[in-house]
Amino acid sequence: MVSALPKAALPKAARRGLADEAADLVREAILAGHFPPGAPLREVELATHLGISRGSVRQGLAELEHEGLIRTGWHRATTVIEVRTEDVEEVYALRAALDRLAATTARRSAGTADFAELDRLVDAMDTECRAAADSRRLVALDIAFHDQIYAAARNGRLTAAWHAIRSQIHLFQLRRVESGYDHYRARVVDEHRELAALLRDGDVRTLARKAEEHVDSARRSLLAGLPKASPASP
């Protein structure tokens, strides 16, 4: 059988294992606070530290740029994104729409194992809060809870849309906790337990509203902790 595909119509598949690993390791370092917002990410230093080629690091950084976690450009330094008001407004507006759809879709498609995992994550948050709660651990559990809602929705394109902003959300939530940890700690368990209960057997309209309110509460709390912009000079 003769192939209808012209020669050289497709490039050879690239083996991206090291690039993926570079992206994972740098992402973890950013979310662990080793590279704070605005910090430079130097390709040569990262390649030396990780023990891989600059090409693999470059591909890994391209993935993080696609996630919105870093900024780069021609003849400008690559840096971790700053938490700016306009970025927060855009990302959380998108998140509110996605979370509403994920919650209402999961309400119809989630099963026993999904509910059990949501309950486990809320219980883990509760345990963390009752102990000497680690803020980064608490935020990681928060993100994992929402990961599970998207997984329960059984919609691959919806999950892909969530993953497009997930890293930014994670970083923004960490910034929110830095500026208002007591407020976050006091609300995180009850808000997520309420969402889990509504997902299990709540009214869909109430669930949709609560999903949006949950995001709006996070947005307002984060914005309240950001420095106020200086007034423009006359």
Side-chain angles (χ1 to χ4, degrees):
M1 177 174 157
V2 178
S3 173
L5 185 67
K7 287 185 177 181
L10 292 174
K12 294 291 185 182
R15 295 184 179 181
R16 297 183 60 252
L18 288 177
D20 289 340
E21 188 172 359
D24 290 345
L25 292 171
V26 175
R27 185 190 306 105
E28 289 170 10
I30 291 171
L31 297 178
H34 300 310
F35 296 109
L41 295 170
R42 298 181 177 89
E43 190 179 289
V44 175
E45 292 179 3
L46 291 171
T48 300
H49 183 78
L50 296 173
I52 60 178
S53 70
R54 289 180 61 182
S56 293
V57 169
R58 192 176 304 118
Q59 291 177 52
L61 292 178
E63 174 60 28
L64 298 184
E65 183 182 16
H66 180 70
E67 294 176 12
L69 197 56
I70 67 173
R71 285 192 172 93
T72 189
W74 188 251
H75 291 312
R76 53 181 288 198
T78 298
T79 59
V80 180
I81 60 167
E82 300 276 7
V83 183
R84 305 181 306 186
T85 298
E86 55 267 36
D87 295 325
V88 171
E89 293 286 12
E90 287 183 4
V91 170
Y92 278 78
L94 178 56
R95 183 191 175 186
L98 292 176
D99 275 18
R100 177 190 177 104
L101 179 58
T104 55
T105 305
R107 175 70 181 83
R108 298 189 297 270
S109 60
T112 302
D114 297 307
F115 297 132
E117 179 61 10
L118 290 172
D119 289 342
R120 185 193 70 78
L121 288 165
V122 174
D123 288 344
M125 292 179 200
D126 192 23
T127 299
E128 197 70 38
C129 285
R130 292 176 186 278
D134 177 86
S135 60
R136 292 185 184 277
R137 169 67 178 158
L138 206 49
V139 170
L141 289 168
D142 184 338
I143 296 296
F145 179 94
H146 292 283
D147 284 340
Q148 185 59 39
I149 293 177
Y150 280 87
R154 312 283 193 269
N155 183 320
R157 288 177 173 81
L158 179 58
T159 300
W162 161 245
H163 278 280
I165 61 170
R166 182 184 185 277
S167 292
Q168 294 176 74
I169 292 292
H170 198 151
L171 186 67
F172 289 175
Q173 287 291 87
L174 289 170
R175 179 64 181 84
R176 171 195 176 191
V177 171
E178 286 175 10
S179 60
Y181 178 59
D182 290 340
H183 179 268
Y184 177 75
R185 181 176 178 178
R187 301 166 66 94
V188 64
V189 173
D190 288 345
E191 285 189 5
H192 288 89
R193 199 179 297 284
E194 180 181 32
L195 284 174
L198 288 169
L199 281 159
R200 182 177 273 108
D201 56 15
D203 173 72
V204 173
R205 289 185 179 179
T206 302
L207 172 61
R209 176 171 53 83
K210 288 294 183 179
E212 288 189 335
E213 288 177 357
H214 179 71
V215 175
D216 190 54
S217 174
R219 179 190 63 82
R220 287 184 284 106
S221 178
L222 174 55
L223 290 174
L226 294 183
K228 303 300 180 186
S230 301
S233 301

